[in-house]
Amino acid sequence: MSLYLLGGFLLLFFGLTFCVLGFYFLFIDYVLFLDWEFLTLNSCSMMMTFLFDWMSLLFVGCVFIISSMVIYYSESYMYEDRDKVRFYFLVVLFVMSMMMMIVSPNLISILIGWDGLGLVSYCLVIFFQNYKSYSAGMLTILTNRIGDVAILISISWMLNFGSWHYIFYVGLWDYWGVYLVLLIILAGFTKSAQIPFSSWLPAAMAAPTPVSSLVHSSTLVTAGVYLLIRFSNLFINIDCSLFLLLSMMTMFMAGLGASFEFDLKKIIALSTLSQLGLMMSIVFIGFPVLAFFHLLAHAFFKALLFLCAGLMIHCMNDSQDIRHMGVMVNQLPFTCSCFCISNLSLCGLPFMSGFYSKDIILEMMMLSYYNFFVFLIFFVSVGLTVSYSTRLIYYCLSFNMNSYGCQMYYEDKIMMKSMILLSLLAIFSGSVLSWVLFSCPILVVLPFYLKVMPLLFVLIGGWFGYELCFVGFTDRLYSMKMYLSSFFMGSMWFMPSFSTYMMYDGTFKVSGTFVDLMDNGWGEYVVSCSPMIYSSYLSKLILFYQLNNIKVFMGVFIFIFMVSLI
């Protein structure tokens, strides 16, 4: 039995166990708080604390189920890779870091999982070793370091509180709580790639596709949302309008960017960014359980979407350009069926899993007393989601018979088996979770036109995406007349440039000046070299004394003798 199959089976077993336990804890309203004393030194005892409630158990279960399918899929995907054993252990370490972060009620143990996620994600992004991967990995880890520093500062700030167990303080508020909340939001924004830290998410696509599936569904990027859901009781004490604006703009910007993109993995990455913006928005509006509901529903169909895309890219001889694809439904019928299921669930097609979470999120947003701008951006972003999904389906599955000559179509049994469970979850998880999480029915009374508004925008977005597919180079495009604005919308509002060139261009000049003035200037001789010069003179003196000690003794003796005679 291979390592991948064994790991996949074990993770699936534990994932199902955790999910059943989570449902049981939810039904009986039970929370388990475990203290594990792992070191006692004299009177000092060091404890590791775990929090098992319905939320952490359900999330760990979902992470394990998705990871099991991804590892099982990797058995075939990474079959010919020379370093597949290293890849396997990196993925397992990644999943364990996420689990550590989920079940920790303590900011210090959260930091272990949080930092583990950042470090292992760097190792996975640079797995295919080339300059593009190195650049993407560096951008990923440096952006995530900002969030790590925010967690470190919040740990030191919690010295004011008396304990690092944040779970004790989410119901309290004091004047210093605002600093803790701001640091936690900063950490969540960097990990979940909200504006202005969005550029690392599409760059992280340099990783192998199974890793992208894991990162974008249930691990790295969802860690920030999960952290904010845990701290959400503190947000009622501050005005979250600015953070709501940033997360809405992220949702809108990602939807626009995906409509202009031709790289298959980047389109799906930007769709993840859009959904993360949706989750963050609803957390800041004040509905953390809804955000968690969408987090779980989104995890299943996004993992499936990436696994299908990985097989398509494999068959296209590793070309990710959707213009190279076309009529793949004839060659890969099962994969394309799963691709359509996950895409339709992402769009919010009625009775798929994405519909249940998106529909109630939009309805609760309408019931919250926010202005027309929030209302408009939410609905336009939902429309854009359907637009780029329709465009993706049209280009990949039915567009042109392309002239790309390096194709080798095959559907692997191992890859197909891993898609079956995720397809079922992408269809049924939304309804099951909505029945379980919201056991008491909530009556949402809205006028008819507001009630059908989500469906209306889904249809308009689908039509708009379909029209976009027929735009040729010969057409007189408004986007070509207004090239700067279309380039602005399609390049994530210039954010990759802000995060790279603009960040290090000025920094390089400053560091060059410092090198000239300090490292190669007077500072070198006065500050850096003086201890060395002093110690070298001293060592010469001691060496002279050691080599000539009899002469020195005689000389000192004669000198003292002469002085005493005088």
Side-chain angles (χ1 to χ4, degrees), residues 113-148:
W114 191 268
D115 238 353
L117 283 171
L119 190 61
V120 180
S121 68
Y122 174 70
C123 298
L124 286 167
V125 168
I126 64 167
F127 187 80
F128 296 136
Q129 294 173 9
N130 52 52
Y131 284 116
K132 188 185 173 191
S133 296
Y134 293 151
S135 306
M138 195 50 73
L139 179 59
T140 301
I141 198 166
L142 287 179
T143 311
N144 280 315
R145 284 315 287 167
I146 300 169
D148 300 343

mmCIF file of all heavy atoms in Angstrom, residues 113-148:
data_model
loop_
_atom_site.group_PDB
_atom_site.id
_atom_site.type_symbol
_atom_site.label_atom_id
_atom_site.label_comp_id
_atom_site.label_asym_id
_atom_site.label_seq_id
_atom_site.Cartn_x
_atom_site.Cartn_y
_atom_site.Cartn_z
ATOM 1 N N GLY A 113 0.513 26.979 15.056
ATOM 2 C CA GLY A 113 -0.161 26.563 13.831
ATOM 3 C C GLY A 113 -0.111 27.628 12.755
ATOM 4 O O GLY A 113 0.097 27.343 11.572
ATOM 5 N N TRP A 114 -0.274 28.875 13.157
ATOM 6 C CA TRP A 114 -0.291 30.025 12.226
ATOM 7 C C TRP A 114 1.056 30.147 11.502
ATOM 8 O O TRP A 114 1.106 30.297 10.288
ATOM 9 C CB TRP A 114 -0.582 31.260 13.058
ATOM 10 C CG TRP A 114 -0.893 32.520 12.329
ATOM 11 C CD1 TRP A 114 -0.017 33.477 11.948
ATOM 12 C CD2 TRP A 114 -2.183 32.988 11.923
ATOM 13 N NE1 TRP A 114 -0.674 34.500 11.330
ATOM 14 C CE2 TRP A 114 -2.002 34.231 11.298
ATOM 15 C CE3 TRP A 114 -3.468 32.469 12.034
ATOM 16 C CZ2 TRP A 114 -3.053 34.964 10.783
ATOM 17 C CZ3 TRP A 114 -4.522 33.201 11.519
ATOM 18 C CH2 TRP A 114 -4.318 34.435 10.895
ATOM 19 N N ASP A 115 2.140 30.073 12.270
ATOM 20 C CA ASP A 115 3.478 30.167 11.685
ATOM 21 C C ASP A 115 3.808 28.933 10.874
ATOM 22 O O ASP A 115 4.492 29.011 9.853
ATOM 23 C CB ASP A 115 4.522 30.347 12.799
ATOM 24 C CG ASP A 115 5.326 31.617 12.607
ATOM 25 O OD1 ASP A 115 5.148 32.243 11.548
ATOM 26 O OD2 ASP A 115 6.120 31.974 13.477
ATOM 27 N N GLY A 116 3.321 27.770 11.366
ATOM 28 C CA GLY A 116 3.527 26.531 10.612
ATOM 29 C C GLY A 116 2.894 26.613 9.240
ATOM 30 O O GLY A 116 3.492 26.206 8.235
ATOM 31 N N LEU A 117 1.681 27.173 9.171
ATOM 32 C CA LEU A 117 1.005 27.352 7.879
ATOM 33 C C LEU A 117 1.839 28.222 6.940
ATOM 34 O O LEU A 117 2.028 27.894 5.767
ATOM 35 C CB LEU A 117 -0.361 28.000 8.087
ATOM 36 C CG LEU A 117 -1.496 27.130 8.609
ATOM 37 C CD1 LEU A 117 -2.696 27.988 8.954
ATOM 38 C CD2 LEU A 117 -1.888 26.094 7.586
ATOM 39 N N GLY A 118 2.344 29.346 7.472
ATOM 40 C CA GLY A 118 3.126 30.271 6.636
ATOM 41 C C GLY A 118 4.392 29.627 6.118
ATOM 42 O O GLY A 118 4.739 29.729 4.932
ATOM 43 N N LEU A 119 5.101 28.919 6.991
ATOM 44 C CA LEU A 119 6.390 28.329 6.623
ATOM 45 C C LEU A 119 6.221 27.179 5.634
ATOM 46 O O LEU A 119 6.918 27.097 4.614
ATOM 47 C CB LEU A 119 7.105 27.838 7.888
ATOM 48 C CG LEU A 119 8.555 27.409 7.727
ATOM 49 C CD1 LEU A 119 9.395 28.585 7.246
ATOM 50 C CD2 LEU A 119 9.111 26.878 9.031
ATOM 51 N N VAL A 120 5.261 26.275 5.932
ATOM 52 C CA VAL A 120 5.061 25.118 5.041
ATOM 53 C C VAL A 120 4.492 25.573 3.702
ATOM 54 O O VAL A 120 4.838 25.012 2.659
ATOM 55 C CB VAL A 120 4.148 24.074 5.712
ATOM 56 C CG1 VAL A 120 3.935 22.882 4.802
ATOM 57 C CG2 VAL A 120 4.741 23.600 7.021
ATOM 58 N N SER A 121 3.645 26.619 3.711
ATOM 59 C CA SER A 121 3.124 27.119 2.429
ATOM 60 C C SER A 121 4.265 27.649 1.562
ATOM 61 O O SER A 121 4.263 27.465 0.345
ATOM 62 C CB SER A 121 2.080 28.208 2.653
ATOM 63 O OG SER A 121 2.675 29.367 3.179
ATOM 64 N N TYR A 122 5.267 28.276 2.186
ATOM 65 C CA TYR A 122 6.442 28.739 1.426
ATOM 66 C C TYR A 122 7.154 27.542 0.792
ATOM 67 O O TYR A 122 7.512 27.570 -0.391
ATOM 68 C CB TYR A 122 7.383 29.507 2.358
ATOM 69 C CG TYR A 122 8.685 29.899 1.707
ATOM 70 C CD1 TYR A 122 8.714 30.882 0.725
ATOM 71 C CD2 TYR A 122 9.882 29.296 2.060
ATOM 72 C CE1 TYR A 122 9.892 31.246 0.115
ATOM 73 C CE2 TYR A 122 11.068 29.646 1.453
ATOM 74 C CZ TYR A 122 11.072 30.617 0.481
ATOM 75 O OH TYR A 122 12.236 30.974 -0.139
ATOM 76 N N CYS A 123 7.356 26.483 1.581
ATOM 77 C CA CYS A 123 8.041 25.291 1.054
ATOM 78 C C CYS A 123 7.255 24.658 -0.092
ATOM 79 O O CYS A 123 7.832 24.114 -1.034
ATOM 80 C CB CYS A 123 8.239 24.256 2.157
ATOM 81 S SG CYS A 123 9.267 24.827 3.498
ATOM 82 N N LEU A 124 5.918 24.731 -0.026
ATOM 83 C CA LEU A 124 5.095 24.129 -1.080
ATOM 84 C C LEU A 124 5.018 25.019 -2.323
ATOM 85 O O LEU A 124 4.967 24.516 -3.446
ATOM 86 C CB LEU A 124 3.683 23.865 -0.538
ATOM 87 C CG LEU A 124 3.592 22.678 0.428
ATOM 88 C CD1 LEU A 124 2.266 22.683 1.159
ATOM 89 C CD2 LEU A 124 3.782 21.359 -0.296
ATOM 90 N N VAL A 125 5.002 26.339 -2.129
ATOM 91 C CA VAL A 125 4.953 27.248 -3.284
ATOM 92 C C VAL A 125 6.241 27.144 -4.104
ATOM 93 O O VAL A 125 6.217 27.208 -5.333
ATOM 94 C CB VAL A 125 4.691 28.706 -2.835
ATOM 95 C CG1 VAL A 125 4.924 29.688 -3.967
ATOM 96 C CG2 VAL A 125 3.262 28.850 -2.327
ATOM 97 N N ILE A 126 7.385 26.949 -3.444
ATOM 98 C CA ILE A 126 8.652 26.843 -4.186
ATOM 99 C C ILE A 126 8.988 25.382 -4.513
ATOM 100 O O ILE A 126 10.137 25.054 -4.797
ATOM 101 C CB ILE A 126 9.827 27.499 -3.411
ATOM 102 C CG1 ILE A 126 10.088 26.758 -2.096
ATOM 103 C CG2 ILE A 126 9.579 28.960 -3.171
ATOM 104 C CD1 ILE A 126 11.399 27.121 -1.442
ATOM 105 N N PHE A 127 7.971 24.496 -4.473
ATOM 106 C CA PHE A 127 8.229 23.070 -4.703
ATOM 107 C C PHE A 127 8.796 22.833 -6.100
ATOM 108 O O PHE A 127 9.756 22.085 -6.277
ATOM 109 C CB PHE A 127 6.930 22.281 -4.503
ATOM 110 C CG PHE A 127 7.123 20.796 -4.559
ATOM 111 C CD1 PHE A 127 7.601 20.113 -3.454
ATOM 112 C CD2 PHE A 127 6.852 20.093 -5.716
ATOM 113 C CE1 PHE A 127 7.801 18.747 -3.505
ATOM 114 C CE2 PHE A 127 7.039 18.730 -5.778
ATOM 115 C CZ PHE A 127 7.516 18.048 -4.668
ATOM 116 N N PHE A 128 8.190 23.452 -7.120
ATOM 117 C CA PHE A 128 8.768 23.390 -8.473
ATOM 118 C C PHE A 128 9.806 24.504 -8.561
ATOM 119 O O PHE A 128 9.455 25.674 -8.639
ATOM 120 C CB PHE A 128 7.687 23.590 -9.535
ATOM 121 C CG PHE A 128 6.657 22.501 -9.540
ATOM 122 C CD1 PHE A 128 5.313 22.800 -9.654
ATOM 123 C CD2 PHE A 128 7.034 21.171 -9.423
ATOM 124 C CE1 PHE A 128 4.367 21.796 -9.659
ATOM 125 C CE2 PHE A 128 6.092 20.156 -9.432
ATOM 126 C CZ PHE A 128 4.757 20.472 -9.548
ATOM 127 N N GLN A 129 11.067 24.130 -8.575
ATOM 128 C CA GLN A 129 12.090 25.137 -8.299
ATOM 129 C C GLN A 129 12.460 25.917 -9.560
ATOM 130 O O GLN A 129 13.202 25.427 -10.420
ATOM 131 C CB GLN A 129 13.301 24.462 -7.678
ATOM 132 C CG GLN A 129 12.927 23.901 -6.314
ATOM 133 C CD GLN A 129 14.016 23.072 -5.702
ATOM 134 O OE1 GLN A 129 15.121 23.029 -6.197
ATOM 135 N NE2 GLN A 129 13.709 22.397 -4.608
ATOM 136 N N ASN A 130 11.917 27.121 -9.658
ATOM 137 C CA ASN A 130 12.287 28.047 -10.734
ATOM 138 C C ASN A 130 12.123 29.471 -10.194
ATOM 139 O O ASN A 130 11.616 29.671 -9.093
ATOM 140 C CB ASN A 130 11.421 27.819 -11.981
ATOM 141 C CG ASN A 130 9.944 27.842 -11.667
ATOM 142 O OD1 ASN A 130 9.445 28.780 -11.056
ATOM 143 N ND2 ASN A 130 9.230 26.793 -12.060
ATOM 144 N N TYR A 131 12.566 30.441 -10.978
ATOM 145 C CA TYR A 131 12.589 31.818 -10.480
ATOM 146 C C TYR A 131 11.190 32.344 -10.170
ATOM 147 O O TYR A 131 10.988 33.085 -9.215
ATOM 148 C CB TYR A 131 13.284 32.737 -11.492
ATOM 149 C CG TYR A 131 14.770 32.570 -11.479
ATOM 150 C CD1 TYR A 131 15.456 32.081 -12.587
ATOM 151 C CD2 TYR A 131 15.525 32.885 -10.344
ATOM 152 C CE1 TYR A 131 16.827 31.913 -12.563
ATOM 153 C CE2 TYR A 131 16.889 32.713 -10.313
ATOM 154 C CZ TYR A 131 17.542 32.223 -11.425
ATOM 155 O OH TYR A 131 18.896 32.047 -11.384
ATOM 156 N N LYS A 132 10.210 31.936 -11.008
ATOM 157 C CA LYS A 132 8.838 32.409 -10.771
ATOM 158 C C LYS A 132 8.323 31.881 -9.424
ATOM 159 O O LYS A 132 7.695 32.612 -8.644
ATOM 160 C CB LYS A 132 7.939 31.928 -11.912
ATOM 161 C CG LYS A 132 6.547 32.516 -11.855
ATOM 162 C CD LYS A 132 5.661 31.931 -12.932
ATOM 163 C CE LYS A 132 4.223 32.409 -12.734
ATOM 164 N NZ LYS A 132 3.291 31.690 -13.582
ATOM 165 N N SER A 133 8.591 30.595 -9.152
ATOM 166 C CA SER A 133 8.146 30.019 -7.879
ATOM 167 C C SER A 133 8.836 30.690 -6.698
ATOM 168 O O SER A 133 8.208 30.942 -5.663
ATOM 169 C CB SER A 133 8.450 28.519 -7.850
ATOM 170 O OG SER A 133 7.727 27.853 -8.835
ATOM 171 N N TYR A 134 10.156 30.969 -6.850
ATOM 172 C CA TYR A 134 10.883 31.618 -5.745
ATOM 173 C C TYR A 134 10.293 32.992 -5.447
ATOM 174 O O TYR A 134 10.112 33.376 -4.290
ATOM 175 C CB TYR A 134 12.371 31.762 -6.084
ATOM 176 C CG TYR A 134 13.115 30.453 -6.191
ATOM 177 C CD1 TYR A 134 14.216 30.331 -7.013
ATOM 178 C CD2 TYR A 134 12.695 29.335 -5.470
ATOM 179 C CE1 TYR A 134 14.901 29.127 -7.123
ATOM 180 C CE2 TYR A 134 13.363 28.137 -5.575
ATOM 181 C CZ TYR A 134 14.465 28.030 -6.394
ATOM 182 O OH TYR A 134 15.126 26.836 -6.500
ATOM 183 N N SER A 135 9.988 33.751 -6.514
ATOM 184 C CA SER A 135 9.418 35.099 -6.315
ATOM 185 C C SER A 135 8.055 35.010 -5.642
ATOM 186 O O SER A 135 7.758 35.765 -4.703
ATOM 187 C CB SER A 135 9.260 35.810 -7.662
ATOM 188 O OG SER A 135 10.487 35.813 -8.345
ATOM 189 N N ALA A 136 7.225 34.055 -6.130
ATOM 190 C CA ALA A 136 5.884 33.898 -5.554
ATOM 191 C C ALA A 136 5.971 33.466 -4.092
ATOM 192 O O ALA A 136 5.240 33.971 -3.228
ATOM 193 C CB ALA A 136 5.097 32.863 -6.361
ATOM 194 N N GLY A 137 6.902 32.546 -3.803
ATOM 195 C CA GLY A 137 7.064 32.077 -2.424
ATOM 196 C C GLY A 137 7.516 33.186 -1.493
ATOM 197 O O GLY A 137 7.041 33.302 -0.356
ATOM 198 N N MET A 138 8.422 34.026 -1.990
ATOM 199 C CA MET A 138 8.929 35.128 -1.158
ATOM 200 C C MET A 138 7.820 36.143 -0.880
ATOM 201 O O MET A 138 7.666 36.617 0.247
ATOM 202 C CB MET A 138 10.115 35.800 -1.877
ATOM 203 C CG MET A 138 10.942 36.681 -0.994
ATOM 204 S SD MET A 138 11.450 35.915 0.542
ATOM 205 C CE MET A 138 12.665 34.780 -0.008
ATOM 206 N N LEU A 139 7.016 36.445 -1.923
ATOM 207 C CA LEU A 139 5.892 37.376 -1.731
ATOM 208 C C LEU A 139 4.893 36.794 -0.723
ATOM 209 O O LEU A 139 4.398 37.507 0.168
ATOM 210 C CB LEU A 139 5.197 37.623 -3.080
ATOM 211 C CG LEU A 139 3.985 38.555 -3.081
ATOM 212 C CD1 LEU A 139 4.358 39.929 -2.576
ATOM 213 C CD2 LEU A 139 3.377 38.655 -4.465
ATOM 214 N N THR A 140 4.638 35.486 -0.819
ATOM 215 C CA THR A 140 3.699 34.821 0.089
ATOM 216 C C THR A 140 4.172 34.903 1.529
ATOM 217 O O THR A 140 3.440 35.333 2.428
ATOM 218 C CB THR A 140 3.536 33.337 -0.322
ATOM 219 O OG1 THR A 140 3.066 33.282 -1.658
ATOM 220 C CG2 THR A 140 2.565 32.619 0.579
ATOM 221 N N ILE A 141 5.427 34.507 1.754
ATOM 222 C CA ILE A 141 5.889 34.408 3.151
ATOM 223 C C ILE A 141 6.107 35.794 3.763
ATOM 224 O O ILE A 141 5.828 36.001 4.946
ATOM 225 C CB ILE A 141 7.154 33.527 3.262
ATOM 226 C CG1 ILE A 141 7.328 33.077 4.724
ATOM 227 C CG2 ILE A 141 8.388 34.228 2.741
ATOM 228 C CD1 ILE A 141 8.311 31.975 4.936
ATOM 229 N N LEU A 142 6.544 36.772 2.963
ATOM 230 C CA LEU A 142 6.775 38.104 3.530
ATOM 231 C C LEU A 142 5.454 38.778 3.898
ATOM 232 O O LEU A 142 5.358 39.464 4.919
ATOM 233 C CB LEU A 142 7.567 38.973 2.554
ATOM 234 C CG LEU A 142 9.044 38.608 2.408
ATOM 235 C CD1 LEU A 142 9.727 39.506 1.392
ATOM 236 C CD2 LEU A 142 9.776 38.693 3.736
ATOM 237 N N THR A 143 4.426 38.577 3.053
ATOM 238 C CA THR A 143 3.114 39.149 3.388
ATOM 239 C C THR A 143 2.551 38.488 4.640
ATOM 240 O O THR A 143 1.996 39.147 5.518
ATOM 241 C CB THR A 143 2.126 38.963 2.212
ATOM 242 O OG1 THR A 143 2.747 39.399 1.016
ATOM 243 C CG2 THR A 143 0.864 39.759 2.435
ATOM 244 N N ASN A 144 2.715 37.156 4.727
ATOM 245 C CA ASN A 144 2.201 36.449 5.897
ATOM 246 C C ASN A 144 2.962 36.793 7.173
ATOM 247 O O ASN A 144 2.426 36.680 8.271
ATOM 248 C CB ASN A 144 2.241 34.938 5.664
ATOM 249 C CG ASN A 144 1.063 34.466 4.829
ATOM 250 O OD1 ASN A 144 -0.069 34.864 5.055
ATOM 251 N ND2 ASN A 144 1.327 33.651 3.847
ATOM 252 N N ARG A 145 4.218 37.212 7.016
ATOM 253 C CA ARG A 145 4.992 37.603 8.213
ATOM 254 C C ARG A 145 4.367 38.809 8.910
ATOM 255 O O ARG A 145 4.489 38.957 10.126
ATOM 256 C CB ARG A 145 6.442 37.958 7.841
ATOM 257 C CG ARG A 145 7.360 36.821 7.544
ATOM 258 C CD ARG A 145 7.295 35.686 8.501
ATOM 259 N NE ARG A 145 7.891 35.970 9.797
ATOM 260 C CZ ARG A 145 7.729 35.212 10.861
ATOM 261 N NH1 ARG A 145 6.995 34.133 10.787
ATOM 262 N NH2 ARG A 145 8.292 35.521 12.006
ATOM 263 N N ILE A 146 3.718 39.682 8.134
ATOM 264 C CA ILE A 146 3.060 40.846 8.744
ATOM 265 C C ILE A 146 1.997 40.363 9.732
ATOM 266 O O ILE A 146 1.891 40.852 10.864
ATOM 267 C CB ILE A 146 2.430 41.758 7.664
ATOM 268 C CG1 ILE A 146 3.510 42.256 6.694
ATOM 269 C CG2 ILE A 146 1.711 42.930 8.300
ATOM 270 C CD1 ILE A 146 2.959 42.933 5.459
ATOM 271 N N GLY A 147 1.210 39.375 9.304
ATOM 272 C CA GLY A 147 0.187 38.817 10.187
ATOM 273 C C GLY A 147 0.791 38.106 11.384
ATOM 274 O O GLY A 147 0.268 38.197 12.509
ATOM 275 N N ASP A 148 1.928 37.418 11.168
ATOM 276 C CA ASP A 148 2.600 36.739 12.291
ATOM 277 C C ASP A 148 3.065 37.752 13.333
ATOM 278 O O ASP A 148 2.937 37.522 14.542
ATOM 279 C CB ASP A 148 3.815 35.938 11.782
ATOM 280 C CG ASP A 148 3.412 34.871 10.784
ATOM 281 O OD1 ASP A 148 2.222 34.545 10.744
ATOM 282 O OD2 ASP A 148 4.276 34.368 10.065
#
